[in-house]
Amino acid sequence: DEFGNEISEEDMLDGDILWISYFDEESEFSGEEKQSIEKTKIIDEDGNYGYQTFTINYDYTYDENGFKVETITETMGKETIVSVNKYDDMDNLIYEDDGQGNITTVVYDFMGREIQTLRNEKGTVFTSYKRYDKNGTLEWEQNIDGIQTYYKYDARNRLVEQKTVGGDEIRTY
């Protein structure tokens, strides 16, 4: 642009624009698009061949809270899937919609550690949890199947025991 910001990248072989960045009037970054194109040779049962194009477009914007929003559009033939990811200020994934009816929401504590994950798979909700000690070390977690795992550490914060409840497994280190 007129301020020296690189705003696009072009594929030198076929002229496709692969990457574009957007800036506002104060030259502040405001969004970005990226594209990946892959062509696959396909041979049918009669021995005829052609090419199928698989395209992925990445669009990066920011929502009203200043969180990065990544929209991914995947196209193969006539089928298109649009997925959306949102990231917090620490660039942690906080929301994922895979475009096929599955939505994941992740909650973090003030230190950016994952404490809860909610996964909605086409109407069925699964939840997992994690808890940390005063040192910030994982001391307990429960997976989406309800199986709980406890962790014990020595004075130097080295893992010495892992106990799984809901199973018979106890590991001592």
mmCIF file of all heavy atoms in Angstrom, residues 44-90:
data_model
loop_
_atom_site.group_PDB
_atom_site.id
_atom_site.type_symbol
_atom_site.label_atom_id
_atom_site.label_comp_id
_atom_site.label_asym_id
_atom_site.label_seq_id
_atom_site.Cartn_x
_atom_site.Cartn_y
_atom_site.Cartn_z
ATOM 1 N N ASP A 44 -10.835 -42.114 -13.955
ATOM 2 C CA ASP A 44 -12.097 -42.850 -13.772
ATOM 3 C C ASP A 44 -11.939 -44.297 -14.233
ATOM 4 O O ASP A 44 -10.878 -44.713 -14.704
ATOM 5 C CB ASP A 44 -13.267 -42.144 -14.465
ATOM 6 C CG ASP A 44 -13.160 -42.132 -15.977
ATOM 7 O OD1 ASP A 44 -12.350 -42.891 -16.549
ATOM 8 O OD2 ASP A 44 -13.910 -41.363 -16.609
ATOM 9 N N GLU A 45 -13.021 -45.070 -14.094
ATOM 10 C CA GLU A 45 -12.969 -46.504 -14.418
ATOM 11 C C GLU A 45 -12.720 -46.783 -15.893
ATOM 12 O O GLU A 45 -12.294 -47.872 -16.275
ATOM 13 C CB GLU A 45 -14.250 -47.222 -13.942
ATOM 14 C CG GLU A 45 -15.541 -46.698 -14.537
ATOM 15 C CD GLU A 45 -16.124 -45.517 -13.771
ATOM 16 O OE1 GLU A 45 -15.629 -45.149 -12.704
ATOM 17 O OE2 GLU A 45 -17.086 -44.941 -14.283
ATOM 18 N N ASP A 46 -12.955 -45.794 -16.784
ATOM 19 C CA ASP A 46 -12.708 -45.966 -18.219
ATOM 20 C C ASP A 46 -11.298 -45.557 -18.626
ATOM 21 O O ASP A 46 -10.958 -45.592 -19.805
ATOM 22 C CB ASP A 46 -13.723 -45.155 -19.030
ATOM 23 C CG ASP A 46 -15.156 -45.635 -18.823
ATOM 24 O OD1 ASP A 46 -15.336 -46.855 -18.601
ATOM 25 O OD2 ASP A 46 -16.075 -44.792 -18.864
ATOM 26 N N GLY A 47 -10.486 -45.129 -17.651
ATOM 27 C CA GLY A 47 -9.128 -44.711 -17.950
ATOM 28 C C GLY A 47 -8.995 -43.247 -18.304
ATOM 29 O O GLY A 47 -7.902 -42.769 -18.582
ATOM 30 N N ASN A 48 -10.102 -42.513 -18.306
ATOM 31 C CA ASN A 48 -10.051 -41.072 -18.559
ATOM 32 C C ASN A 48 -9.548 -40.366 -17.301
ATOM 33 O O ASN A 48 -9.851 -40.770 -16.186
ATOM 34 C CB ASN A 48 -11.437 -40.547 -18.925
ATOM 35 C CG ASN A 48 -11.996 -41.226 -20.151
ATOM 36 O OD1 ASN A 48 -11.291 -41.445 -21.132
ATOM 37 N ND2 ASN A 48 -13.268 -41.595 -20.086
ATOM 38 N N TYR A 49 -8.789 -39.310 -17.520
ATOM 39 C CA TYR A 49 -8.309 -38.602 -16.348
ATOM 40 C C TYR A 49 -8.634 -37.118 -16.452
ATOM 41 O O TYR A 49 -8.904 -36.574 -17.511
ATOM 42 C CB TYR A 49 -6.806 -38.817 -16.135
ATOM 43 C CG TYR A 49 -5.922 -38.148 -17.157
ATOM 44 C CD1 TYR A 49 -5.429 -36.872 -16.938
ATOM 45 C CD2 TYR A 49 -5.570 -38.801 -18.335
ATOM 46 C CE1 TYR A 49 -4.612 -36.261 -17.878
ATOM 47 C CE2 TYR A 49 -4.761 -38.200 -19.271
ATOM 48 C CZ TYR A 49 -4.283 -36.924 -19.035
ATOM 49 O OH TYR A 49 -3.487 -36.321 -19.955
ATOM 50 N N GLY A 50 -8.624 -36.528 -15.304
ATOM 51 C CA GLY A 50 -8.861 -35.100 -15.171
ATOM 52 C C GLY A 50 -8.262 -34.650 -13.850
ATOM 53 O O GLY A 50 -7.546 -35.396 -13.188
ATOM 54 N N TYR A 51 -8.565 -33.437 -13.482
ATOM 55 C CA TYR A 51 -8.024 -32.894 -12.238
ATOM 56 C C TYR A 51 -9.156 -32.390 -11.364
ATOM 57 O O TYR A 51 -10.116 -31.796 -11.848
ATOM 58 C CB TYR A 51 -7.046 -31.749 -12.529
ATOM 59 C CG TYR A 51 -5.778 -32.229 -13.164
ATOM 60 C CD1 TYR A 51 -5.640 -32.276 -14.539
ATOM 61 C CD2 TYR A 51 -4.717 -32.662 -12.380
ATOM 62 C CE1 TYR A 51 -4.472 -32.741 -15.134
ATOM 63 C CE2 TYR A 51 -3.544 -33.120 -12.952
ATOM 64 C CZ TYR A 51 -3.429 -33.155 -14.332
ATOM 65 O OH TYR A 51 -2.279 -33.618 -14.898
ATOM 66 N N GLN A 52 -9.035 -32.657 -10.080
ATOM 67 C CA GLN A 52 -9.973 -32.117 -9.113
ATOM 68 C C GLN A 52 -9.210 -31.109 -8.262
ATOM 69 O O GLN A 52 -8.108 -31.383 -7.798
ATOM 70 C CB GLN A 52 -10.569 -33.205 -8.233
ATOM 71 C CG GLN A 52 -11.619 -32.678 -7.288
ATOM 72 C CD GLN A 52 -12.406 -33.810 -6.658
ATOM 73 O OE1 GLN A 52 -11.957 -34.931 -6.586
ATOM 74 N NE2 GLN A 52 -13.597 -33.501 -6.211
ATOM 75 N N THR A 53 -9.800 -29.954 -8.069
ATOM 76 C CA THR A 53 -9.150 -28.892 -7.316
ATOM 77 C C THR A 53 -9.684 -28.865 -5.892
ATOM 78 O O THR A 53 -10.890 -28.899 -5.671
ATOM 79 C CB THR A 53 -9.402 -27.526 -7.987
ATOM 80 O OG1 THR A 53 -8.920 -27.590 -9.329
ATOM 81 C CG2 THR A 53 -8.685 -26.409 -7.259
ATOM 82 N N PHE A 54 -8.775 -28.813 -4.961
ATOM 83 C CA PHE A 54 -9.091 -28.685 -3.543
ATOM 84 C C PHE A 54 -8.548 -27.339 -3.101
ATOM 85 O O PHE A 54 -7.357 -27.079 -3.199
ATOM 86 C CB PHE A 54 -8.453 -29.822 -2.748
ATOM 87 C CG PHE A 54 -8.719 -29.764 -1.276
ATOM 88 C CD1 PHE A 54 -10.004 -29.908 -0.775
ATOM 89 C CD2 PHE A 54 -7.683 -29.577 -0.377
ATOM 90 C CE1 PHE A 54 -10.251 -29.870 0.582
ATOM 91 C CE2 PHE A 54 -7.915 -29.540 0.981
ATOM 92 C CZ PHE A 54 -9.205 -29.689 1.463
ATOM 93 N N THR A 55 -9.430 -26.465 -2.646
ATOM 94 C CA THR A 55 -9.038 -25.107 -2.271
ATOM 95 C C THR A 55 -9.363 -24.859 -0.812
ATOM 96 O O THR A 55 -10.444 -25.216 -0.342
ATOM 97 C CB THR A 55 -9.787 -24.070 -3.131
ATOM 98 O OG1 THR A 55 -9.556 -24.362 -4.505
ATOM 99 C CG2 THR A 55 -9.318 -22.668 -2.834
ATOM 100 N N ILE A 56 -8.430 -24.264 -0.102
ATOM 101 C CA ILE A 56 -8.671 -23.841 1.276
ATOM 102 C C ILE A 56 -8.413 -22.338 1.342
ATOM 103 O O ILE A 56 -7.337 -21.866 0.976
ATOM 104 C CB ILE A 56 -7.741 -24.555 2.269
ATOM 105 C CG1 ILE A 56 -7.869 -26.069 2.161
ATOM 106 C CG2 ILE A 56 -8.054 -24.092 3.696
ATOM 107 C CD1 ILE A 56 -6.892 -26.828 3.023
ATOM 108 N N ASN A 57 -9.420 -21.603 1.794
ATOM 109 C CA ASN A 57 -9.281 -20.165 2.015
ATOM 110 C C ASN A 57 -9.321 -19.892 3.506
ATOM 111 O O ASN A 57 -10.198 -20.394 4.202
ATOM 112 C CB ASN A 57 -10.417 -19.392 1.329
ATOM 113 C CG ASN A 57 -10.275 -19.401 -0.162
ATOM 114 O OD1 ASN A 57 -9.215 -19.123 -0.687
ATOM 115 N ND2 ASN A 57 -11.343 -19.727 -0.849
ATOM 116 N N TYR A 58 -8.380 -19.102 3.987
ATOM 117 C CA TYR A 58 -8.316 -18.693 5.380
ATOM 118 C C TYR A 58 -8.601 -17.204 5.437
ATOM 119 O O TYR A 58 -7.948 -16.419 4.750
ATOM 120 C CB TYR A 58 -6.927 -18.950 5.962
ATOM 121 C CG TYR A 58 -6.494 -20.392 5.912
ATOM 122 C CD1 TYR A 58 -5.816 -20.890 4.806
ATOM 123 C CD2 TYR A 58 -6.762 -21.253 6.965
ATOM 124 C CE1 TYR A 58 -5.407 -22.214 4.748
ATOM 125 C CE2 TYR A 58 -6.359 -22.578 6.916
ATOM 126 C CZ TYR A 58 -5.671 -23.053 5.811
ATOM 127 O OH TYR A 58 -5.276 -24.357 5.762
ATOM 128 N N ASP A 59 -9.557 -16.820 6.257
ATOM 129 C CA ASP A 59 -9.895 -15.413 6.422
ATOM 130 C C ASP A 59 -9.755 -15.074 7.903
ATOM 131 O O ASP A 59 -10.360 -15.730 8.755
ATOM 132 C CB ASP A 59 -11.330 -15.165 5.952
ATOM 133 C CG ASP A 59 -11.744 -13.712 6.042
ATOM 134 O OD1 ASP A 59 -10.873 -12.834 5.911
ATOM 135 O OD2 ASP A 59 -12.939 -13.462 6.262
ATOM 136 N N TYR A 60 -8.928 -14.081 8.221
ATOM 137 C CA TYR A 60 -8.687 -13.683 9.600
ATOM 138 C C TYR A 60 -9.246 -12.287 9.825
ATOM 139 O O TYR A 60 -8.906 -11.349 9.099
ATOM 140 C CB TYR A 60 -7.185 -13.678 9.903
ATOM 141 C CG TYR A 60 -6.546 -15.032 9.719
ATOM 142 C CD1 TYR A 60 -5.940 -15.389 8.525
ATOM 143 C CD2 TYR A 60 -6.568 -15.958 10.748
ATOM 144 C CE1 TYR A 60 -5.359 -16.627 8.359
ATOM 145 C CE2 TYR A 60 -5.991 -17.211 10.587
ATOM 146 C CZ TYR A 60 -5.387 -17.536 9.396
ATOM 147 O OH TYR A 60 -4.816 -18.773 9.232
ATOM 148 N N THR A 61 -10.113 -12.173 10.821
ATOM 149 C CA THR A 61 -10.675 -10.880 11.206
ATOM 150 C C THR A 61 -10.653 -10.806 12.732
ATOM 151 O O THR A 61 -10.164 -11.712 13.401
ATOM 152 C CB THR A 61 -12.120 -10.718 10.697
ATOM 153 O OG1 THR A 61 -12.918 -11.797 11.207
ATOM 154 C CG2 THR A 61 -12.179 -10.717 9.177
ATOM 155 N N TYR A 62 -11.204 -9.734 13.280
ATOM 156 C CA TYR A 62 -11.286 -9.561 14.725
ATOM 157 C C TYR A 62 -12.711 -9.203 15.091
ATOM 158 O O TYR A 62 -13.350 -8.400 14.408
ATOM 159 C CB TYR A 62 -10.303 -8.478 15.181
ATOM 160 C CG TYR A 62 -8.876 -8.915 14.964
ATOM 161 C CD1 TYR A 62 -8.220 -8.665 13.767
ATOM 162 C CD2 TYR A 62 -8.207 -9.631 15.943
ATOM 163 C CE1 TYR A 62 -6.932 -9.109 13.553
ATOM 164 C CE2 TYR A 62 -6.906 -10.081 15.742
ATOM 165 C CZ TYR A 62 -6.284 -9.816 14.540
ATOM 166 O OH TYR A 62 -5.011 -10.269 14.330
ATOM 167 N N ASP A 63 -13.212 -9.826 16.176
ATOM 168 C CA ASP A 63 -14.583 -9.551 16.593
ATOM 169 C C ASP A 63 -14.630 -8.285 17.447
ATOM 170 O O ASP A 63 -13.612 -7.617 17.638
ATOM 171 C CB ASP A 63 -15.207 -10.754 17.303
ATOM 172 C CG ASP A 63 -14.587 -11.065 18.660
ATOM 173 O OD1 ASP A 63 -13.782 -10.256 19.177
ATOM 174 O OD2 ASP A 63 -14.918 -12.123 19.212
ATOM 175 N N GLU A 64 -15.822 -7.980 17.979
ATOM 176 C CA GLU A 64 -16.024 -6.751 18.752
ATOM 177 C C GLU A 64 -15.216 -6.727 20.045
ATOM 178 O O GLU A 64 -14.965 -5.662 20.604
ATOM 179 C CB GLU A 64 -17.515 -6.550 19.054
ATOM 180 C CG GLU A 64 -18.146 -7.641 19.922
ATOM 181 C CD GLU A 64 -18.554 -8.890 19.143
ATOM 182 O OE1 GLU A 64 -18.460 -8.922 17.903
ATOM 183 O OE2 GLU A 64 -18.954 -9.860 19.801
ATOM 184 N N ASN A 65 -14.746 -7.904 20.537
ATOM 185 C CA ASN A 65 -13.918 -7.971 21.739
ATOM 186 C C ASN A 65 -12.421 -7.951 21.422
ATOM 187 O O ASN A 65 -11.606 -8.044 22.322
ATOM 188 C CB ASN A 65 -14.251 -9.241 22.533
ATOM 189 C CG ASN A 65 -15.677 -9.247 23.017
ATOM 190 O OD1 ASN A 65 -16.185 -8.248 23.510
ATOM 191 N ND2 ASN A 65 -16.347 -10.373 22.854
ATOM 192 N N GLY A 66 -12.084 -7.857 20.159
ATOM 193 C CA GLY A 66 -10.691 -7.844 19.743
ATOM 194 C C GLY A 66 -10.098 -9.230 19.590
ATOM 195 O O GLY A 66 -8.892 -9.376 19.405
ATOM 196 N N PHE A 67 -10.922 -10.291 19.668
ATOM 197 C CA PHE A 67 -10.437 -11.650 19.521
ATOM 198 C C PHE A 67 -10.310 -12.009 18.041
ATOM 199 O O PHE A 67 -11.152 -11.641 17.228
ATOM 200 C CB PHE A 67 -11.370 -12.650 20.193
ATOM 201 C CG PHE A 67 -11.442 -12.515 21.696
ATOM 202 C CD1 PHE A 67 -12.534 -13.014 22.371
ATOM 203 C CD2 PHE A 67 -10.440 -11.901 22.428
ATOM 204 C CE1 PHE A 67 -12.618 -12.906 23.752
ATOM 205 C CE2 PHE A 67 -10.515 -11.786 23.801
ATOM 206 C CZ PHE A 67 -11.608 -12.292 24.466
ATOM 207 N N LYS A 68 -9.252 -12.758 17.721
ATOM 208 C CA LYS A 68 -9.028 -13.178 16.343
ATOM 209 C C LYS A 68 -10.059 -14.232 15.951
ATOM 210 O O LYS A 68 -10.312 -15.182 16.689
ATOM 211 C CB LYS A 68 -7.615 -13.727 16.179
ATOM 212 C CG LYS A 68 -7.296 -14.172 14.754
ATOM 213 C CD LYS A 68 -5.829 -14.517 14.562
ATOM 214 C CE LYS A 68 -5.465 -15.783 15.256
ATOM 215 N NZ LYS A 68 -4.087 -16.231 14.959
ATOM 216 N N VAL A 69 -10.638 -14.071 14.763
ATOM 217 C CA VAL A 69 -11.599 -15.028 14.213
ATOM 218 C C VAL A 69 -11.013 -15.556 12.915
ATOM 219 O O VAL A 69 -10.695 -14.796 12.008
ATOM 220 C CB VAL A 69 -12.976 -14.367 13.949
ATOM 221 C CG1 VAL A 69 -13.938 -15.382 13.342
ATOM 222 C CG2 VAL A 69 -13.541 -13.762 15.220
ATOM 223 N N GLU A 70 -10.878 -16.874 12.831
ATOM 224 C CA GLU A 70 -10.336 -17.540 11.650
ATOM 225 C C GLU A 70 -11.484 -18.292 10.980
ATOM 226 O O GLU A 70 -12.086 -19.169 11.587
ATOM 227 C CB GLU A 70 -9.241 -18.505 12.076
ATOM 228 C CG GLU A 70 -8.682 -19.359 10.967
ATOM 229 C CD GLU A 70 -7.697 -20.384 11.499
ATOM 230 O OE1 GLU A 70 -8.034 -21.127 12.444
ATOM 231 O OE2 GLU A 70 -6.592 -20.444 10.949
ATOM 232 N N THR A 71 -11.794 -17.927 9.741
ATOM 233 C CA THR A 71 -12.815 -18.631 8.972
ATOM 234 C C THR A 71 -12.107 -19.419 7.884
ATOM 235 O O THR A 71 -11.358 -18.860 7.089
ATOM 236 C CB THR A 71 -13.826 -17.648 8.356
ATOM 237 O OG1 THR A 71 -14.384 -16.849 9.397
ATOM 238 C CG2 THR A 71 -14.928 -18.375 7.616
ATOM 239 N N ILE A 72 -12.347 -20.723 7.860
ATOM 240 C CA ILE A 72 -11.686 -21.609 6.900
ATOM 241 C C ILE A 72 -12.749 -22.165 5.967
ATOM 242 O O ILE A 72 -13.708 -22.792 6.413
ATOM 243 C CB ILE A 72 -10.965 -22.760 7.616
ATOM 244 C CG1 ILE A 72 -9.971 -22.202 8.630
ATOM 245 C CG2 ILE A 72 -10.274 -23.678 6.605
ATOM 246 C CD1 ILE A 72 -9.448 -23.241 9.589
ATOM 247 N N THR A 73 -12.580 -21.920 4.671
ATOM 248 C CA THR A 73 -13.508 -22.424 3.666
ATOM 249 C C THR A 73 -12.775 -23.450 2.815
ATOM 250 O O THR A 73 -11.814 -23.121 2.130
ATOM 251 C CB THR A 73 -14.045 -21.280 2.784
ATOM 252 O OG1 THR A 73 -14.602 -20.269 3.618
ATOM 253 C CG2 THR A 73 -15.088 -21.784 1.811
ATOM 254 N N GLU A 74 -13.230 -24.709 2.893
ATOM 255 C CA GLU A 74 -12.618 -25.800 2.140
ATOM 256 C C GLU A 74 -13.574 -26.209 1.037
ATOM 257 O O GLU A 74 -14.735 -26.507 1.295
ATOM 258 C CB GLU A 74 -12.353 -26.998 3.045
ATOM 259 C CG GLU A 74 -11.407 -26.693 4.182
ATOM 260 C CD GLU A 74 -11.253 -27.861 5.124
ATOM 261 O OE1 GLU A 74 -10.454 -28.774 4.786
ATOM 262 O OE2 GLU A 74 -11.921 -27.874 6.162
ATOM 263 N N THR A 75 -13.073 -26.218 -0.206
ATOM 264 C CA THR A 75 -13.906 -26.570 -1.351
ATOM 265 C C THR A 75 -13.234 -27.682 -2.140
ATOM 266 O O THR A 75 -12.069 -27.565 -2.521
ATOM 267 C CB THR A 75 -14.131 -25.349 -2.264
ATOM 268 O OG1 THR A 75 -14.685 -24.296 -1.492
ATOM 269 C CG2 THR A 75 -15.066 -25.681 -3.409
ATOM 270 N N MET A 76 -13.992 -28.759 -2.374
ATOM 271 C CA MET A 76 -13.535 -29.835 -3.243
ATOM 272 C C MET A 76 -14.702 -30.174 -4.152
ATOM 273 O O MET A 76 -15.754 -30.613 -3.685
ATOM 274 C CB MET A 76 -13.108 -31.075 -2.481
ATOM 275 C CG MET A 76 -12.631 -32.173 -3.438
ATOM 276 S SD MET A 76 -12.112 -33.686 -2.643
ATOM 277 C CE MET A 76 -10.493 -33.242 -2.109
ATOM 278 N N GLY A 77 -14.500 -29.927 -5.428
ATOM 279 C CA GLY A 77 -15.590 -30.147 -6.377
ATOM 280 C C GLY A 77 -16.747 -29.209 -6.057
ATOM 281 O O GLY A 77 -16.575 -28.006 -5.975
ATOM 282 N N LYS A 78 -17.919 -29.778 -5.815
ATOM 283 C CA LYS A 78 -19.100 -28.967 -5.506
ATOM 284 C C LYS A 78 -19.370 -28.886 -4.011
ATOM 285 O O LYS A 78 -20.313 -28.235 -3.587
ATOM 286 C CB LYS A 78 -20.325 -29.544 -6.218
ATOM 287 C CG LYS A 78 -20.226 -29.462 -7.714
ATOM 288 C CD LYS A 78 -21.445 -30.039 -8.386
ATOM 289 C CE LYS A 78 -21.283 -29.941 -9.903
ATOM 290 N NZ LYS A 78 -22.455 -30.447 -10.597
ATOM 291 N N GLU A 79 -18.557 -29.550 -3.200
ATOM 292 C CA GLU A 79 -18.767 -29.567 -1.757
ATOM 293 C C GLU A 79 -17.913 -28.496 -1.079
ATOM 294 O O GLU A 79 -16.715 -28.387 -1.322
ATOM 295 C CB GLU A 79 -18.414 -30.933 -1.181
ATOM 296 C CG GLU A 79 -18.702 -31.046 0.293
ATOM 297 C CD GLU A 79 -18.393 -32.423 0.845
ATOM 298 O OE1 GLU A 79 -18.328 -33.386 0.068
ATOM 299 O OE2 GLU A 79 -18.224 -32.523 2.071
ATOM 300 N N THR A 80 -18.559 -27.710 -0.211
ATOM 301 C CA THR A 80 -17.871 -26.663 0.530
ATOM 302 C C THR A 80 -18.177 -26.811 2.009
ATOM 303 O O THR A 80 -19.325 -26.997 2.396
ATOM 304 C CB THR A 80 -18.311 -25.268 0.056
ATOM 305 O OG1 THR A 80 -17.961 -25.121 -1.320
ATOM 306 C CG2 THR A 80 -17.636 -24.165 0.847
ATOM 307 N N ILE A 81 -17.145 -26.730 2.839
ATOM 308 C CA ILE A 81 -17.288 -26.758 4.290
ATOM 309 C C ILE A 81 -16.662 -25.490 4.835
ATOM 310 O O ILE A 81 -15.526 -25.151 4.503
ATOM 311 C CB ILE A 81 -16.593 -27.993 4.899
ATOM 312 C CG1 ILE A 81 -17.243 -29.269 4.387
ATOM 313 C CG2 ILE A 81 -16.634 -27.933 6.426
ATOM 314 C CD1 ILE A 81 -16.519 -30.534 4.804
ATOM 315 N N VAL A 82 -17.415 -24.777 5.678
ATOM 316 C CA VAL A 82 -16.918 -23.553 6.296
ATOM 317 C C VAL A 82 -16.801 -23.799 7.796
ATOM 318 O O VAL A 82 -17.773 -24.157 8.458
ATOM 319 C CB VAL A 82 -17.857 -22.359 6.036
ATOM 320 C CG1 VAL A 82 -17.339 -21.108 6.741
ATOM 321 C CG2 VAL A 82 -17.997 -22.115 4.538
ATOM 322 N N SER A 83 -15.606 -23.655 8.336
ATOM 323 C CA SER A 83 -15.379 -23.806 9.771
ATOM 324 C C SER A 83 -14.887 -22.480 10.339
ATOM 325 O O SER A 83 -14.322 -21.660 9.616
ATOM 326 C CB SER A 83 -14.387 -24.930 10.063
ATOM 327 O OG SER A 83 -13.159 -24.693 9.413
ATOM 328 N N VAL A 84 -15.134 -22.286 11.636
ATOM 329 C CA VAL A 84 -14.778 -21.024 12.293
ATOM 330 C C VAL A 84 -14.042 -21.329 13.592
ATOM 331 O O VAL A 84 -14.484 -22.171 14.381
ATOM 332 C CB VAL A 84 -16.037 -20.186 12.594
ATOM 333 C CG1 VAL A 84 -15.664 -18.921 13.352
ATOM 334 C CG2 VAL A 84 -16.779 -19.849 11.320
ATOM 335 N N ASN A 85 -12.927 -20.658 13.811
ATOM 336 C CA ASN A 85 -12.169 -20.750 15.059
ATOM 337 C C ASN A 85 -12.037 -19.350 15.639
ATOM 338 O O ASN A 85 -11.818 -18.387 14.902
ATOM 339 C CB ASN A 85 -10.768 -21.312 14.821
ATOM 340 C CG ASN A 85 -10.793 -22.708 14.256
ATOM 341 O OD1 ASN A 85 -11.640 -23.514 14.615
ATOM 342 N ND2 ASN A 85 -9.870 -22.993 13.362
ATOM 343 N N LYS A 86 -12.138 -19.246 16.968
ATOM 344 C CA LYS A 86 -11.923 -17.967 17.654
ATOM 345 C C LYS A 86 -10.828 -18.156 18.690
ATOM 346 O O LYS A 86 -10.744 -19.208 19.329
ATOM 347 C CB LYS A 86 -13.204 -17.489 18.334
ATOM 348 C CG LYS A 86 -14.282 -17.091 17.365
ATOM 349 C CD LYS A 86 -15.489 -16.532 18.091
ATOM 350 C CE LYS A 86 -16.566 -16.160 17.085
ATOM 351 N NZ LYS A 86 -17.744 -15.585 17.736
ATOM 352 N N TYR A 87 -10.001 -17.118 18.856
ATOM 353 C CA TYR A 87 -8.863 -17.164 19.765
ATOM 354 C C TYR A 87 -8.940 -15.994 20.733
ATOM 355 O O TYR A 87 -9.350 -14.888 20.356
ATOM 356 C CB TYR A 87 -7.550 -17.088 18.974
ATOM 357 C CG TYR A 87 -7.400 -18.216 17.988
ATOM 358 C CD1 TYR A 87 -7.923 -18.125 16.704
ATOM 359 C CD2 TYR A 87 -6.752 -19.385 18.358
ATOM 360 C CE1 TYR A 87 -7.795 -19.175 15.803
ATOM 361 C CE2 TYR A 87 -6.616 -20.439 17.457
ATOM 362 C CZ TYR A 87 -7.145 -20.325 16.188
ATOM 363 O OH TYR A 87 -7.025 -21.359 15.288
ATOM 364 N N ASP A 88 -8.494 -16.202 21.983
ATOM 365 C CA ASP A 88 -8.499 -15.134 22.972
ATOM 366 C C ASP A 88 -7.247 -14.268 22.834
ATOM 367 O O ASP A 88 -6.453 -14.444 21.907
ATOM 368 C CB ASP A 88 -8.657 -15.697 24.383
ATOM 369 C CG ASP A 88 -7.476 -16.542 24.841
ATOM 370 O OD1 ASP A 88 -6.415 -16.550 24.173
ATOM 371 O OD2 ASP A 88 -7.620 -17.212 25.879
ATOM 372 N N ASP A 89 -7.058 -13.351 23.797
ATOM 373 C CA ASP A 89 -5.911 -12.442 23.773
ATOM 374 C C ASP A 89 -4.564 -13.162 23.855
ATOM 375 O O ASP A 89 -3.552 -12.634 23.425
ATOM 376 C CB ASP A 89 -5.995 -11.447 24.935
ATOM 377 C CG ASP A 89 -7.111 -10.443 24.753
ATOM 378 O OD1 ASP A 89 -7.531 -10.223 23.602
ATOM 379 O OD2 ASP A 89 -7.566 -9.880 25.764
ATOM 380 N N MET A 90 -4.567 -14.366 24.432
ATOM 381 C CA MET A 90 -3.326 -15.134 24.567
ATOM 382 C C MET A 90 -3.153 -16.108 23.401
ATOM 383 O O MET A 90 -2.300 -16.975 23.438
ATOM 384 C CB MET A 90 -3.322 -15.887 25.903
ATOM 385 C CG MET A 90 -3.352 -14.953 27.096
ATOM 386 S SD MET A 90 -3.547 -15.809 28.667
ATOM 387 C CE MET A 90 -1.867 -16.312 28.960
#
